[in-house]
Amino acid sequence: MKEMIRVEKLNKSFGDLHVLKDIDLTVNESDVLCLVGASGSGKSTLLRCLNFLEIRDNGKIIFDGEEIDPKTHNLNQVRQKVGMVFQHFNLFPHKTVLENVIEAPLMVKKTNKVTAVKEGKELLEKVGLADKFDVYPSKLSGGQKQRVAIARALAMKPDIMLFDEPTSALDPELVGEVLETMKDLAKEGMTMIIVTHEMGFAKEVADYTVYMHDGKIVERGLSKDLFNNPKEERTKEFLSKVL
Amino acid sequence: MIAGSVFDFGTFISELRRTYPFFLEAGLVTIQLTIASVLIGTVIGVIFALLKLSPLKIFRIIAGTYITIIRGTPLIVQIFALFYGFSQIIMLSAFWSAALALAVHNSAYIAEIFRGAIQSIDKGQTEAGRSLGMSGVMTMRRIVMPQAMRRAVPPLGNQFIIGLKDSSLAAFVAVDELFRTAQGIAAGTLNTMETFIIVGIYYLLLVMIFTVIVNAVEQRMAKSEK
Ligand SMILES: Nc1ncnc2c1ncn2[C@@H]1O[C@H](COP(=O)(O)OP(=O)(O)O)[C@@H](O)[C@H]1O
Ligand SMILES: [Mg+2]
């Protein structure tokens, strides 16, 4: 099993607020890992440290066997390999759906336009939006927006995908279509780290689940074990509240 | 009062008819002066907006100082000071010296317009761009700026109208735009009040025309956004 990303003793503070405390985490290729925990426990910050939207204070982030040092590595190149999907989609409103998807391949990878368009359309077909190429994001439902955002991230052919509460901003009836898309992605073998409150999804789709509390990893295990036989008291308490 | 005449409606009408060829010509100069100074002011303004938002403190200080000085001193003082520099030292024509002086003045306000517009774009847009591997500069150019430009259009239109009226001060450095033309006519005929009301009407007309254009641009952009 190939190691995709490893985090060692990761710490992050915002001023006096110590948000991540000695986080250790390993994700192997094709693993799907769900991060669960109460709001404010540091899940988003952890994800954002993994693609360097936040820079850790200390600790190691080892990506594909190589330790990434923000001071010496070109983070733009690292980020190309780490796709991110946000809670609020963050689609580019001045660009059509297809333009959203091909923007980074064209501009960052310098893919030629014909190829970028062809691949972009294939991705949009895959997420079920074949009829929306030329539509602006404001015309889409939340679920459609999030599927475009997934296609946009996939267009860079990342090695790993990070999802930060991808369904939390959606109306309940639109959650399913996004989770389906993510499930398909998991089946294809995409490596994924997903922050979610959808415990059913975590239990069903994630190989591993990590429970975070107050900036620390309290428990980590196979999803079926963590949900069915949690070891830690805190985990039990959390699960009894959310399940 | 320079002239002794009180407003006379007959004189007003006959002067309106007689002077319009001069005012049409001068109006063209006013339009050129305004467009040149707002366009150049926009270029300078964007640069100072970006400096003011720069991560480098020295750039922020430079931009902040520039904006404070320009906004804190009267336009007529700036015109006299800069006009001398541009026309005597760089040897530009009166028109371009005045246009540049007005451009400098406009740029400080336009810098603030763009700074506000850029800051109003959701941080998630930048994060989305960066997360796709785009550099900071590329994200600014491809993602943030195009959206900020749209947001800047209404206040820019407003600044354009202010710039149009402010261009009248170029009269004092011998540019034959609307106001200076009115001064010349008034001094010659002594129909002071009639002449300045006439020139006021021309300014009002120009402002109304530009307002219609700005509104049309805004509406078109509002449509394309949806
Ligand atoms: N940029 C920031 N500046 C200051 N505090 C922050 C920032 N981002 C997050 N925090 C704080 O860090 C803590 C963890 O936040 P976050 O990682 O968003 O938690 P979660 O995603 O689990 O809800 C919270 O207390 C939050 O207020
Ligand atoms: Mg969060």
Side-chain angles (χ1 to χ4, degrees):
Chain A
M1 232 187 312
K2 186 171 162 263
E3 179 186 290
M4 183 64 77
I5 200 162
R6 181 156 47 105
V7 172
E8 288 179 9
K9 295 264 172 288
L10 187 85
N11 281 278
K12 173 74 187 172
S13 299
F14 294 109
D16 291 337
L17 189 65
H18 196 173
V19 176
L20 296 178
K21 300 165 185 165
D22 284 337
I23 300 286
D24 289 308
L25 188 69
T26 304
V27 180
N28 290 321
E29 192 169 42
S30 295
D31 276 358
V32 175
L33 182 140
C34 276
L35 271 178
V36 302
S39 158
S41 56
K43 307 178 299 292
S44 297
T45 306
L46 176 55
L47 271 199
R48 294 160 59 81
C49 283
L50 293 182
N51 74 350
F52 301 93
L53 284 180
E54 301 288 356
I55 304 297
R56 86 255 179 303
D57 296 334
N58 54 61
K60 287 184 183 171
I61 297 171
I62 296 141
F63 185 65
D64 223 354
E66 190 180 0
E67 188 188 341
I68 308 297
D69 181 351
K71 290 199 188 73
T72 53
H73 276 77
N74 181 345
L75 296 181
N76 296 328
Q77 267 164 21
V78 177
R79 290 195 194 100
Q80 290 179 38
K81 293 275 148 211
V82 184
M84 177 115 176
V85 173
F86 301 87
Q87 180 177 354
H88 295 288
F89 331 123
N90 298 350
L91 293 179
F92 306 136
H94 59 304
K95 293 182 182 294
T96 64
V97 164
L98 184 59
E99 284 167 353
N100 264 273
V101 175
I102 64 176
E103 173 71 11
L106 284 182
M107 290 294 137
V108 179
K109 281 195 173 166
K110 314 287 179 206
T111 310
N112 79 59
K113 179 124 190 217
V114 177
T115 312
V117 167
K118 183 173 153 286
E119 292 178 352
K121 285 183 174 173
E122 282 167 8
L123 281 169
L124 285 168
E125 278 160 16
K126 201 170 102 176
V127 299
L129 294 169
D131 53 339
K132 302 289 183 196
F133 295 158
D134 300 321
V135 167
Y136 282 90
S138 58
K139 284 274 190 284
L140 300 178
S141 73
Q144 291 170 329
K145 282 182 192 165
Q146 197 58 298
R147 285 183 283 148
V148 174
I150 293 172
R152 179 176 69 176
L154 289 174
M156 288 302 281
K157 305 192 173 97
D159 292 337
I160 181 168
M161 288 277 284
L162 311 176
F163 294 80
D164 193 356
E165 301 198 27
T167 59
S168 294
L170 300 178
D171 294 334
E173 73 272 19
L174 301 175
V175 168
E177 62 191 60
V178 172
L179 293 183
E180 272 313 308
T181 304
M182 291 166 63
K183 217 186 283 184
D184 291 343
L185 212 51
K187 276 189 206 137
E188 287 171 24
M190 176 58 79
T191 313
M192 298 157 73
I193 304 180
I194 304 161
V195 173
T196 187
H197 295 297
E198 298 289 334
M199 295 303 154
F201 176 83
K203 204 167 160 180
E204 183 195 336
V205 181
D207 304 302
Y208 300 96
T209 295
V210 166
Y211 169 60
M212 276 183 76
H213 178 78
D214 199 16
K216 288 195 200 108
I217 291 182
V218 174
E219 186 166 349
R220 175 206 161 129
L222 289 168
S223 296
K224 60 177 187 340
D225 294 340
L226 189 127
F227 282 104
N228 296 332
N229 300 302
K231 292 192 188 64
E232 302 289 331
E233 272 314 308
R234 279 201 185 286
T235 317
K236 285 179 196 162
E237 212 177 294
F238 173 73
L239 289 176
S240 72
K241 272 188 223 143
V242 295
L243 283 181
Chain B
M1 287 278 277
I2 307 165
S5 76
V6 183
F7 182 76
D8 178 89
F9 193 71
T11 313
F12 170 74
I13 295 296
S14 66
E15 280 296 280
L16 194 60
R17 285 186 170 161
R18 186 184 71 80
T19 57
Y20 82 86
F22 308 117
F23 280 125
L24 285 188
E25 204 176 312
L28 214 56
V29 176
T30 288
I31 292 171
Q32 288 167 342
L33 199 56
T34 307
I35 291 177
S37 62
V38 172
L39 282 185
I40 298 168
T42 300
V43 174
I44 306 173
V46 169
I47 293 169
F48 276 100
L50 292 174
L51 288 180
K52 191 136 190 227
L53 295 170
S54 158
L56 288 181
K57 194 168 179 197
I58 179 73
F59 285 162
R60 294 201 300 273
I61 291 174
I62 292 171
T65 308
Y66 176 84
I67 293 168
T68 303
I69 291 173
I70 301 291
R71 297 210 303 181
T73 54
L75 172 56
I76 192 71
V77 174
Q78 294 163 18
I79 289 179
F80 274 67
L82 291 172
F83 184 85
Y84 174 79
F86 290 136
S87 62
Q88 306 294 306
I89 301 169
I90 316 178
M91 308 288 274
L92 291 176
S93 66
F95 175 86
W96 283 107
S97 297
L100 282 180
L102 289 166
V104 167
H105 179 77
N106 282 320
S107 73
Y109 292 90
I110 293 173
E112 287 294 82
I113 288 172
F114 276 107
R115 185 185 58 80
I118 290 169
Q119 281 180 325
S120 78
I121 304 299
D122 182 47
K123 267 192 70 191
Q125 291 290 306
T126 304
E127 294 189 344
R130 299 308 301 271
S131 78
L132 290 163
M134 299 170 83
S135 69
V137 172
M138 188 187 280
T139 305
M140 180 54 84
R141 186 169 61 80
R142 297 282 308 175
I143 308 302
V144 178
M145 267 309 210
Q147 296 180 58
M149 289 283 180
R150 283 169 196 227
R151 264 187 217 176
V153 165
L156 274 181
N158 190 40
Q159 183 60 34
F160 192 95
I161 286 164
I162 294 170
L164 176 74
K165 292 184 287 180
D166 282 352
S167 73
S168 58
L169 290 171
F172 296 99
V173 289
V175 176
D176 289 317
E177 45 63 76
L178 280 175
F179 189 68
R180 185 172 157 90
T181 301
Q183 283 179 310
I185 292 171
T189 61
L190 299 185
N191 295 322
T192 314
M193 197 167 179
E194 293 84 352
T195 308
F196 286 116
I197 288 176
I198 288 169
V199 79
I201 290 170
Y202 284 111
Y203 277 111
L204 187 60
L205 271 176
L206 285 180
V207 167
M208 284 161 64
I209 290 168
F210 278 118
T211 305
V212 169
I213 293 172
V214 169
N215 286 345
V217 171
E218 268 174 55
Q219 270 176 11
R220 260 190 62 180
M221 289 203 337
K223 252 183 221 157
S224 72
E225 185 108 5
K226 277 178 208 152

